[in-house]
Structures are given as structure tokens and as C-alpha cells.
Amino acid sequence: MAERLKATKEMKRIMRRYYAQAKYAHYMGKKVAWITSGGPVEPLIAMNIIPVYPENHGAMLGASKKGGQLSEFAEGLGYSPDVCSYVKDDIASTITKESPIKGGLPQPDMLICSNNICGTVLKWYEIQARNFNVPLFIYDTPFVHTEFTEEAKEYIKEQTKEYILFLEKVMGRKFNYKKMDKVGRYSLQSMKLWKEILDTAAHKPSPMTAFDAFFHLALIVTLRGKKIVLRYYKTLLKELQERNTKNIGAVDNEKYRLLWDNLPIWFRMRWLSDKFANHQAALVADTYTQAWCGVIDYIDENDFLGTMGEAYTRIHLNVGVDQMADTIKDFIRKFDVDGLVMHSNRSCKPYSFGQYDIQNLIKDMDIPVLMIEADMTDDRKFSESQVEARIDAFMEVIKEKKRTK
Amino acid sequence: MKIENSLALFNKIASDPYDYIKTLKEKTNKKIIGSTCTYTPEEIVLAAGAHPFRISGQAQNLSAADAHIQAYGCSMVRCMLEDGLSGDLNFLDGVVFPHSCDSIQRLSDIWRLNIPSLHFDILLPVKLDSQLSQNYFAKVIKRFKSDIEEALDTSISDKDISEAIHLMNQIRTALGQLYTLRAANPALIKGADMAAIVKASMVMDKEELLVELNKLITLLSKIEKKNDARKRILISGSICSHPDIYQIIENKDAVVVWDDLCSGSRYFEGLISETENPYIAISERFTNRFVCPAKHIRADFQLDNMKRLIADHRIEAVLFIFVKFCEPFSFDYPDIKNELEKMNMPYLMVEMDQHNRIDEQLRTRIDTLLEIMQF
């Protein structure tokens, strides 16, 4: 197995610092905003507000194997066993303070919610708005089944202005357009760098796997718009390019290349990574982490505020199933993959419903598809022996296919 | 005409809506436009000379739908899809998908890719709390008008819309009158009959419906009010497709006097202004009625709305009926239930699969709630 990426250490340090700053924000006279993972964070950074991501926290709770336990706690409060575990983990952690971050997330002064990832966040942020009694802004991104209508374009553009007025009111000061210009440029550059990083995986052998991408994603999610992201991603990119020059793969003797769809199963990352690596299979790309750079073309760096709305509206989860299938086809070609692994995620209905139809739509690509039913953080919904047997059978099919090619 | 005959008509249509629609289509040659949610602006469909009807999902067993939506999809969506895939809805000319929850959103994609018919996505705003979203809402309704004009090769005049609004306002007023009459005198008709009336209203030809509703109101208005000491129950949720539930409650000296259901009061709540711009007026009704939990108007709207319903209808217990796997409704439940506890209001939450029969366990749970209330 190749060594771990050296940059990882620095990444951990940056994240530790970020959470420490967020924890002590109130002592330093700063305001904290909770924001959804696909939400427009750049105006917050321009206003010197510290963004905090309950979804990133949910991923941390999942990775630290607390998802099932916290979901169970929330279910005791009356939440359904069948709904999103990120929401339940967050609600439970708010009460119990159970968290890898000491004392849990810092309390929000405002909530910013964009429904471009799901309708669930709307309910989640309403619950927390009642709980913390803080203002809530919804950045409403009309769904793009087949077209992005003129009225939707105008609606989203006007909402950006509405959002800024909201921030000015909460903060009691004028919006900093000058800083916004800089933040917008950093954000776009970060997305471009993130894309370059993910694209290094087109090399054979791939210098990184989707598991690395899941980990390094945290920066583009939480700190995009900050200069530090650029610095870090440049270092990471350099390391990956060096690996490519030397033909160092993330998986020893990489023979098979796979694509992952949906959120990670946070509590089984290592296990899954080892499982696939034992078959000399590398998950070289995924649809999830690509979401943070899939809409670069819609952003004008000279008018970030004016164009970000369309980009936020067209993200992977806010478009029709056929467009999602087209994206998957592009990845299959670009990364030259031998198989697709779909995580049918009980917590995420908008990501999971339509996966069967995607399978039908990509039939012409002629690659095997494996579907694993699980949950992103709730380990009670994971059956190791079943998943293991399915992975083994899937890999046999792939090996056979490659042998006879 | 007797009350029994009127109720028999509504019950017949509610129990076999597809049969009614097929006959209607043969008789009138109207285009049939199915809808998947109460956010469908039926006025526009009517103005286009077509017939709007709510697809309820009649499938008892799922097989074709399983190949498209995982088992953790709600049964409402899966049953609708099953009916579409199995050919039971072949009489449809088109289907409307208003943006509401994540599941209906994906149902729209899956439907478009697998079932040939005219397809209308209405990309509604999710927030209804600002002038900006209200303006957008009106534009979305206007686009739906152009889409349906193009698809059905027709043109819709302002007069067509005004007439449709007027007709739907009369229907909503009539349904509201029926609910109010019955809330004041629950012995007038059984809860299951009331549920059948609303369900049939989403199916029937609207002109015929208005005539039948008014006939029934006239008949019921003549009946004297009886003293009714039964406990007054509110049902809350998205849809309740089990008429048996009303009977179980009535067998225990209690009665459902009002509801907060998409298959109930949410269908007729609120009237459309007949003097304003029609697109703005239609969108305002959707904002001013009790919004469904998939939309945002205020963080505490659902809690306040529940308290208001309890006060307005002198409710003594609340029965939450949720479709299993439905996220929007279930997320509001814990906070609403806490409020009910503060008010010492008895409540019970049951989760149901639409195609499941009422089992003994559910019957026992409802019985227990009602027995507790008798003390």
C-alpha cells in the first residue's frame, strides 16, 4: 500500500485551527453562521462571519462511529428511524454535546440554508431556528429537471441581493463588496484547484482514491473563499502530480478502477478502502466530491455575486436523473473505470432515488454496477457480511470481464 | 334525493376513481391531467379545457415500481408510480409534478423517463416568506399556463382563468361549509363519508361536483343539531387513505371533527381573489392556506397552526397519521408533540403504508388513546 499523502498532516492542522477559531468566535466578537454544505458561503466570509457546517460535523460524527448511537437518541425524542441521520446526529449532539469537537459545535447566531442539496435541510434548519431562536435565511434554488428557466434565473439573482440585505441586517453593518470580490476569486480558484486535484486520478495508477477525496473535501466545503485553501490545495496537487510522475498509485498494483456514487459510508471508510484494495481495485472518482467543482463554468470571476446563483442551482443534486447519468458517463470515460459502486443511502432520498434509472441510462457503457444499501452515518443500517459478499461477487464479475476483454 | 344516495355517489367515486375518470373521458372527450400534490393549480388545467384529477395510487401490491424506487421510498410515491408503470393510468394525457418534497421531485424524473405522457414540472419556490418568492411563484404559475397551452395546443384567455377560479372558489366554499356543518354537528355524516367526499372532489368533473356538494349541503342543513358528547379528534398528516380509521374512532365514543391533511382540509383551504391578477391570486392562495411542511413560511408555523386548529375546532385529542418514510411531516412531529404535552393534549402518532391494511396493533393503539381520554 502506498504511503499516506504527506499533506494530510497539514490538513488536519488547518481543520483543528478552523474549529478552534469557530469555538472561540464569540469571545473574539465574531458571529457564527451555520450553513448547509451546498450553501453560498462566500458572502459570509466577506462579512467576516465564521461559517460552520453541521453536515461536516455529521460526517465527523459518522467517521467517529457515533452516528447510530446519536440517531437512536434523536429517535427517542420522536424523530423517525427512517429520516436523514445527519439531522438526527446534529439534533442529538446539540443536546448531548457528544462530538469529536469538545462541547460540540459552537452555537449559531444565524442559519443559512440552501435547498440545492435536498428539502430535508429546510426542516433541519427550521428545527434549529426554533431551538436556538436565531434568524434563518433560505437560499431557494429551483430544481432543474430539464431546464433552468428565465424566471428561476432572475429569482436566484434577486435572492443573492436579499441574502446580502439579510446579512447587513443581522450584522448591523454594510456589506463589504471589495472583500467579496477577493473572496469570490479565491473561491473560484479553490474550485479549479479542487478539480485539478480530482483530475489527477485519471492517471494510471491513480495517485489518490475517493477515500482521500472524501477526507480532503473538508476544506473546499468549509473554507472555500479563504486563501489558506489555495495554499493547501497547491501543496496537495503538487504531491499528487509527483506521484503521477513516479507512477506511484494509492492502491498497490492497481488493476481495476471504480467509480463511487452518493455520500460516503463515513463509519466504514477504512474497511471499504481495504476491502477494495485487497482486490487491487481503486475507487478513483466519485460523484459526491466532484459536486464542489462541477459548476465552475457558470461562474464569472469578475462577477462572482451575480453568477454564483446559477452555479449553486445547477449542482449535481439539484438536476434531473438523466443529467446525473450524463455526468456519470463522463466520469466513466474520463477516469476509464471498470465498474460503478452505488451507495443506496437510506439517509439521502434525493441522491438515491433514481439510481436504478441511472443504471438503465448508462447501460451502453457496459460496466458492472454494484449497489450497497447503507447509511452515511447510521451504523445500525450496515450489514458487513452482506456488503462483503456483494463486493466479492462484484469484483469477480469485473475480473472476469477484464480477463475476457 | 336522500342523503344516503348522495353519500353513495361520493363513496363510489372515491373507491374506484380510475373507473370514474375513464367514463368521464369517454363521455366528454376531455384531456385528463393527473396531479401528484395539492400544489397543482387546478384552475389552469380547467381553463385549458382539461380535467384535473389527483392520482391517489390505488396499487395494492408493488412490483414494477420496485425496479425504480428503493423500498425506503414512501408508499404514496411508489403506489402512484406502480399505477403509472402497470398501465392503470393509461387514460392519462399528462401529469403535473409541483415541486414539494424530495420524493415527488425524483418521481417526476423517473416518470418522465419511463412513462410516456405529457409532463409538467411546476418549479415552485420552497420558501413562501418573501415578496420576492411570491413574485416568482406567480411567474411559475404563468409558465405552467404557457406550457399547458402549448402541450394541449390550445389558448387560455383571462376569462377562462377567471371562470375556473370562480368555479374552484365555489367548490372550496362548499367543502368548507360541509366541514363546518359537520364540525358543529358531527353526527350529520360519518367521518369516512366526509373523507370520501374530499377524495371524490379531487376526481370528479368540477361542475358536477359543485352541484352534488350543494345538494348535500341543502339536505344536511335541514337536520337539527343533536347533542354530541363524543370526544373531538383532529387528524394530522399528509394523506389518510384508510376510511376504517374513522370507524375505529367512532366505535370508541369519539369522532374526527377536523383534519390537517392533504387529502382533507388542505385541498379546500383558502379562496383565490377574483379581482386581482389571476397568477398572483393563485399563488397567494397557496401561501395563505395552511402551507404543507415541505414549504417554509416561518420556522414555527406548523406549531402555531396546530394550536390554532385545536382552539378553532375544540379539539380534545390529536391523531397523527404519517405515511412511512415521509420526511417533511415526520420532522415537525417531535416539536409539535412537545407543545401538545405542554397543553395536556392527548395524542398518538401512527405510521402507515398506504397499501397496508389496518392491523390489530394499530387498532389497539388507537383504542388505547381513546380509552385514556375517557378518564
Side-chain angles (χ1 to χ4, degrees):
Chain A
M1 175 77 78
E3 280 181 26
R4 294 191 74 173
L5 289 158
K6 291 187 196 81
T8 304
K9 223 172 163 184
E10 172 65 2
M11 156 95 184
K12 283 186 176 164
R13 198 188 62 78
I14 296 170
M15 286 307 285
R16 261 200 309 273
R17 219 173 130 203
Y18 156 66
Y19 273 114
Q21 269 183 354
K23 282 298 284 187
Y24 295 106
H26 292 134
Y27 296 104
M28 297 186 293
K30 286 195 174 181
K31 300 267 189 208
V32 170
W34 281 15
I35 181 166
T36 51
S37 64
V41 66
E42 294 82 0
L44 294 178
I45 294 181
M47 283 291 262
N48 223 7
I49 299 165
I50 299 198
V52 166
Y53 292 79
E55 287 158 78
N56 178 251
H57 187 221
M60 289 163 76
L61 290 166
S64 54
K65 301 185 173 46
K66 300 206 184 294
Q69 173 201 326
L70 287 168
S71 287
E72 202 169 314
F73 181 91
E75 286 156 22
L77 303 174
Y79 291 96
S80 161
D82 303 311
V83 297
C84 172
S85 61
Y86 271 178
V87 185
K88 288 187 283 187
D89 296 349
D90 177 55
I91 289 166
S93 168
T94 303
I95 298 167
T96 62
K97 307 291 176 204
E98 180 87 56
S99 166
I101 302 160
K102 206 175 164 216
L105 287 183
Q107 286 210 5
D109 298 294
M110 69 196 88
L111 300 164
I112 312 296
C113 167
S114 179
N115 58 322
N116 57 354
I117 45 169
C118 61
T120 301
V121 289
L122 191 76
K123 302 313 295 174
W124 181 357
Y125 278 57
E126 280 184 350
I127 293 167
Q128 292 297 32
R130 293 196 291 268
N131 180 34
F132 291 110
N133 195 24
V134 292
L136 163 65
F137 183 81
I138 290 160
Y139 196 76
D140 183 6
T141 49
F143 199 79
V144 188
H145 286 285
T146 50
E147 67 169 323
F148 186 39
T149 62
E150 278 308 311
E151 61 272 18
K153 224 173 256 183
E154 188 196 335
Y155 176 44
I156 199 81
K157 242 182 169 169
E158 290 300 311
Q159 268 187 94
T160 302
K161 295 178 193 161
E162 198 179 41
Y163 180 29
I164 285 165
L165 287 176
F166 169 88
L167 294 179
E168 286 183 334
K169 195 175 161 200
V170 174
M171 298 303 287
R173 58 180 148 87
K174 286 279 165 205
F175 187 70
N176 190 338
Y177 287 93
K178 209 171 151 202
K179 191 170 173 198
M180 180 65 230
D181 184 62
K182 207 181 331 168
V183 171
R185 285 171 200 278
Y186 287 157
S187 179
L188 183 60
Q189 284 169 31
S190 310
M191 289 185 233
K192 285 180 177 167
L193 268 173
W194 181 239
K195 187 169 184 299
E196 276 190 75
I197 287 168
L198 296 178
D199 284 354
T200 61
H203 186 270
K204 291 179 186 173
S206 173
M208 65 183 290
T209 66
F211 299 103
D212 295 310
F214 295 149
F215 176 75
H216 288 93
L217 173 75
L219 278 197
I220 188 90
V221 176
T222 55
L223 293 167
R224 88 183 162 267
K226 289 260 192 191
K227 209 173 174 180
I228 192 160
V229 180
L230 295 178
R231 210 172 57 216
Y232 176 74
Y233 280 160
K234 277 180 190 160
T235 315
L236 177 63
L237 180 63
K238 204 170 150 221
E239 190 180 347
L240 292 165
Q241 285 166 337
E242 275 168 17
R243 277 193 174 190
N244 281 353
T245 316
K246 295 177 189 162
N247 280 326
I248 300 172
V251 168
D252 285 341
N253 303 316
E254 172 196 299
K255 260 187 146 173
Y256 311 103
R257 298 164 64 81
L258 306 172
L259 174 68
W260 177 274
D261 180 55
N262 212 310
L263 275 83
I265 302 169
W266 291 112
F267 53 91
R268 279 305 164 109
M269 294 260 281
R270 173 54 64 88
W271 183 83
L272 280 165
S273 170
D274 290 348
K275 188 76 213 153
F276 283 110
N278 287 341
H279 286 284
Q280 292 173 287
L283 283 158
V284 294
D286 70 281
T287 57
Y288 178 61
T289 59
Q290 293 273 358
W292 278 267
C293 56
V295 288
I296 290 171
D297 294 345
Y298 296 103
I299 303 171
D300 174 359
E301 64 175 339
N302 296 314
D303 182 20
F304 190 90
L305 267 189
T307 52
M308 71 168 193
E310 178 159 0
Y312 278 120
T313 305
R314 286 184 182 270
I315 69 165
H316 188 64
L317 263 178
N318 206 46
V319 298
V321 162
D322 30 357
Q323 289 181 67
M324 292 170 104
D326 285 343
T327 304
I328 287 179
K329 279 184 176 188
D330 286 345
F331 292 160
I332 291 171
R333 287 188 208 101
K334 181 175 185 178
F335 295 97
D336 194 18
V337 302
D338 306 300
L340 169 65
V341 184
M342 294 185 124
H343 170 202
S344 170
N345 182 355
R346 294 183 72 97
S347 262
C348 191
K349 296 179 174 79
Y351 216 146
S352 306
F353 296 168
Q355 281 178 320
Y356 290 124
D357 281 89
I358 290 175
Q359 289 184 30
N360 289 334
L361 291 165
I362 64 162
K363 268 205 172 118
D364 56 331
M365 304 302 286
D366 193 28
I367 60 163
V369 181
L370 167 68
M371 204 172 222
I372 298 175
E373 188 167 314
D375 186 283
M376 57 213 184
T377 80
D378 190 343
D379 50 1
R380 298 170 304 168
K381 291 173 184 163
F382 185 82
S383 162
E384 184 175 304
S385 54
Q386 210 176 60
V387 172
E388 188 165 28
R390 288 177 65 89
I391 290 175
D392 289 341
F394 170 69
M395 287 312 304
E396 281 314 311
V397 174
I398 287 189
K399 286 173 193 173
E400 186 56 31
K401 210 164 176 305
K402 204 136 189 178
R403 247 197 308 272
T404 54
K405 235 182 189 177
Chain B
M1 189 183 179
K2 284 183 179 168
I3 293 173
E4 295 77 52
N5 296 349
S6 171
L7 295 179
L9 172 78
F10 287 116
N11 273 296
K12 185 170 179 290
I13 296 166
S15 63
D16 195 354
Y18 298 173
D19 186 56
Y20 174 91
I21 295 287
K22 279 183 228 167
T23 312
L24 178 77
K25 189 170 180 172
E26 276 168 27
K27 259 192 340 210
T28 63
N29 212 19
K30 275 188 181 174
K31 299 280 185 202
I32 307 294
I33 305 294
S35 75
T36 48
C37 172
T38 61
Y39 278 99
T40 303
E42 289 187 306
E43 297 77 13
I44 303 292
V45 179
L46 286 169
H51 175 69
F53 101 106
R54 172 78 190 254
I55 305 171
S56 45
Q58 299 290 102
Q60 290 293 317
N61 296 301
L62 298 171
S63 58
D66 280 341
H68 296 272
I69 294 187
Q70 288 90 328
Y72 51 89
C74 84
S75 61
M76 196 179 94
V77 159
R78 297 172 78 219
C79 285
M80 283 196 276
L81 183 62
E82 183 70 32
D83 287 355
L85 292 167
S86 68
D88 285 356
L89 292 170
N90 279 355
F91 54 83
L92 280 182
D93 294 285
V95 185
V96 181
F97 296 87
H99 186 270
S100 51
C101 66
D102 291 336
S103 301
I104 287 185
Q105 177 179 294
R106 285 290 174 226
L107 175 69
S108 164
D109 287 337
I110 294 168
W111 201 287
R112 179 168 51 80
L113 293 167
N114 296 284
I115 304 169
S117 73
L118 299 173
H119 196 94
F120 304 96
D121 284 311
I122 307 186
L123 305 169
L124 302 176
V126 78
K127 63 174 180 184
L128 306 175
D129 63 344
S130 75
Q131 190 54 50
L132 182 63
S133 55
Q134 205 60 56
N135 296 346
Y136 171 67
F137 202 140
K139 285 179 191 164
V140 168
I141 306 279
K142 198 166 182 181
R143 175 174 288 269
F144 176 53
K145 178 229 169 203
S146 323
D147 287 351
I148 202 165
E149 275 180 326
E150 197 187 324
L152 299 184
D153 193 20
T154 185
S155 71
I156 299 173
S157 68
D158 284 354
K159 190 167 161 269
D160 294 331
I161 302 182
S162 299
E163 283 172 5
I165 289 176
H166 184 64
L167 176 61
M168 286 309 295
N169 272 348
Q170 287 176 288
I171 289 169
R172 290 190 186 108
T173 306
L175 282 168
Q177 270 178 317
L178 270 178
Y179 258 57
T180 308
L181 273 173
R182 191 172 168 276
N185 187 7
L188 273 183
I189 47 174
K190 288 183 180 303
D193 288 329
M194 194 66 240
I197 292 168
V198 185
K199 187 172 177 190
S201 300
M202 299 182 192
V203 176
M204 287 171 76
D205 173 80
K206 301 300 179 195
E207 303 271 3
E208 183 194 0
L209 169 65
L210 182 60
V211 172
E212 293 300 332
L213 287 175
N214 284 332
K215 271 192 219 163
L216 181 60
I217 290 168
T218 310
L219 292 168
L220 294 177
S221 304
K222 289 177 192 155
I223 298 174
E224 270 185 39
K225 190 179 171 201
K226 283 185 199 154
N227 279 337
D228 200 329
R230 289 179 295 174
K231 297 285 178 190
R232 297 169 68 83
I233 312 288
L234 174 88
I235 292 191
S236 178
S238 58
I239 52 165
C240 174
S241 53
H242 295 277
D244 295 355
I245 283 189
Y246 298 94
Q247 195 56 53
I248 294 172
I249 292 169
E250 283 164 27
N251 288 347
K252 280 284 174 184
D253 223 16
V255 61
V256 176
V257 294
W258 205 269
D259 67 59
D260 172 27
L261 295 169
C262 303
S263 61
S265 71
R266 211 168 283 119
Y267 180 65
F268 62 81
E269 263 294 326
L271 296 179
I272 299 174
S273 161
E274 296 190 27
T275 52
E276 247 186 294
N277 167 301
Y279 309 107
I280 294 175
I282 292 171
S283 68
E284 280 176 349
R285 173 189 166 247
F286 283 124
T287 302
N288 295 335
R289 70 170 185 169
F290 307 154
V291 303
C292 118
K295 300 278 172 217
H296 170 80
I297 192 153
R298 267 196 338 271
D300 50 5
F301 174 81
Q302 300 297 343
L303 277 67
D304 289 347
N305 192 43
M306 176 59 78
K307 285 185 211 161
R308 203 173 60 78
L309 287 170
I310 288 170
D312 285 356
H313 305 294
R314 294 179 285 118
I315 299 299
E316 294 167 278
V318 178
L319 178 61
F320 296 93
I321 295 191
F322 294 152
V323 179
K324 194 166 169 60
F325 303 113
C326 168
E327 294 215 346
F329 282 88
S330 73
F331 273 127
D332 280 330
Y333 167 70
D335 282 354
I336 296 180
K337 114 185 147 56
N338 290 344
E339 288 300 312
L340 296 181
E341 280 167 11
K342 280 185 216 158
M343 296 162 72
N344 281 326
M345 173 68 56
Y347 66 88
L348 176 71
M349 188 273 279
V350 290
E351 269 192 327
M352 304 185 71
D353 267 351
Q354 196 181 2
H355 49 275
N356 277 359
R357 293 214 170 81
I358 303 244
D359 59 20
E360 269 316 301
Q361 197 192 4
L362 178 64
R363 191 185 296 271
T364 311
R365 288 181 67 200
I366 296 175
D367 282 353
T368 310
L369 168 79
L370 300 171
E371 278 159 22
I372 289 167
M373 284 174 63
Q374 308 303 326
F375 291 103

